[in-house]
Amino acid sequence: MEKVIETEQGLALQIDGETKAEIGFSNYDEQSISIDHTFVSEELRGQKVGQDLVKRAVDIARKQGKTVVPACSYALALFKRNKDYHHIWRKDV
């Protein structure tokens, strides 16, 4: 069974109780969150799992009225390619 759970460090995708993918984010300051890392297991790569986790983190930031600092290289690449993220992207850091 697959489920995404909130962790102290961000979100994790668990399959049968085992973490197979995760995204780490934390408060950068009062106005922003920072996406620090992403991880997707070999067996799930190429299935857009990382993209989904970044989208979920962005959705959380939007609900909180915050911007996002994409500190991890994967998140940064997605932010550069996805115009839907440009308005929430904090670029001054």
Side-chain angles (χ1 to χ4, degrees):
M1 184 169 156
E2 179 180 306
K3 65 181 176 176
V4 175
I5 62 165
E6 287 190 39
T7 67
E8 287 184 29
Q9 299 85 19
L11 300 171
L13 171 68
Q14 292 189 338
I15 299 175
D16 296 327
E18 186 178 341
T19 298
K20 297 290 186 173
E22 64 185 15
I23 185 166
F25 56 90
S26 58
N27 287 326
Y28 182 82
D29 57 23
E30 289 184 17
Q31 297 86 26
S32 305
I33 68 165
S34 173
I35 297 177
D36 306 308
H37 76 277
T38 55
F39 163 76
V40 177
S41 65
E42 283 288 329
E43 67 215 62
L44 296 179
R45 290 193 182 153
Q47 298 179 35
K48 300 186 179 186
V49 172
Q51 287 181 26
D52 182 54
L53 289 175
V54 170
K55 181 185 180 312
R56 287 173 185 253
V58 167
D59 289 345
I60 288 169
R62 283 183 177 136
K63 287 178 186 173
Q64 294 176 356
K66 295 184 176 184
T67 57
V68 177
V69 177
C72 113
S73 59
Y74 179 77
L76 180 60
L78 284 180
F79 269 65
K80 287 179 178 177
R81 287 195 314 255
N82 190 335
K83 291 183 182 186
D84 291 339
Y85 295 161
H86 287 192
H87 73 284
I88 199 166
W89 183 359
R90 181 166 174 189
K91 297 180 182 179
D92 66 338
V93 292

